[in-house]
Amino acid sequence: MEQEAEERLWEIIDEAEVSLVITQGDRGFPHCRPMTLLGYEEDGTLWFATSRSSRKVSEIDRNPKVTVCFLAFEGGAYAQMFGKAEIAEDPELKAELWMEEWGEYWEGPDDPDYVLLLVRVDKAEYYLIEEDELWVIDFS
């Protein structure tokens, strides 16, 4: 049953039209912003691209606990993932995940302001709207 629950979680993430990364803002309130999920590993690792100079990086430096929400409107579900974020600067991974359309933000995969945001998920939950079911998955 747990494997089926995990498989459904990743289906929701794949189907999601919107993903939101939520950090602790500088006044203690949550700060939410849409971000594009670049990829994930089924051990609960999520990858995003960001700027080193962004506000989210300084918020994560202060408090690495984040929530990532995925909204799958068509699939009638949403998922939340809770974990710790860190900045990753692996040059090979940055080059592998690089997208040409990001040229308007960064000069290329070697741009020092282009970094990867890695989220290591401890726990996830998802809600199936039509079934009125809440599922919880522990990654730790």
Side-chain angles (χ1 to χ4, degrees), residues 31-140:
H31 183 206
C32 178
R33 82 272 296 146
M35 291 187 73
T36 301
L37 179 68
L38 300 180
Y40 61 81
E41 296 166 31
E42 292 187 0
D43 67 353
T45 303
L46 310 175
W47 296 96
F48 301 89
T50 193
S51 292
R52 175 186 306 287
S53 58
S54 70
R55 181 168 47 171
K56 81 182 79 53
V57 170
S58 61
E59 290 170 350
I60 288 166
D61 283 345
R62 280 195 308 276
N63 184 346
K65 290 182 179 178
V66 299
T67 301
V68 184
C69 296
F70 296 93
L71 307 173
F73 302 114
E74 293 289 321
Y78 71 85
Q80 296 187 91
M81 303 182 95
F82 311 98
K84 291 195 173 118
E86 60 189 73
I87 302 306
E89 301 184 62
D90 180 298
E92 288 179 21
L93 192 55
K94 285 173 55 176
E96 179 184 329
L97 295 175
W98 175 257
M99 294 185 190
E100 289 305 316
E101 61 264 26
W102 295 343
E104 66 181 280
Y105 306 109
W106 301 293
E107 293 179 14
D110 297 326
D111 187 324
D113 193 44
Y114 162 58
V115 293
L116 299 172
L117 178 63
L118 159 69
V119 177
R120 295 186 196 279
V121 176
D122 294 320
K123 181 178 149 187
E125 61 184 38
Y126 64 88
Y127 183 71
L128 304 175
I129 296 167
E130 286 186 23
E131 293 88 344
D132 190 26
E133 292 179 4
L134 177 69
W135 293 81
V136 178
I137 299 166
D138 193 354
F139 284 93
S140 53

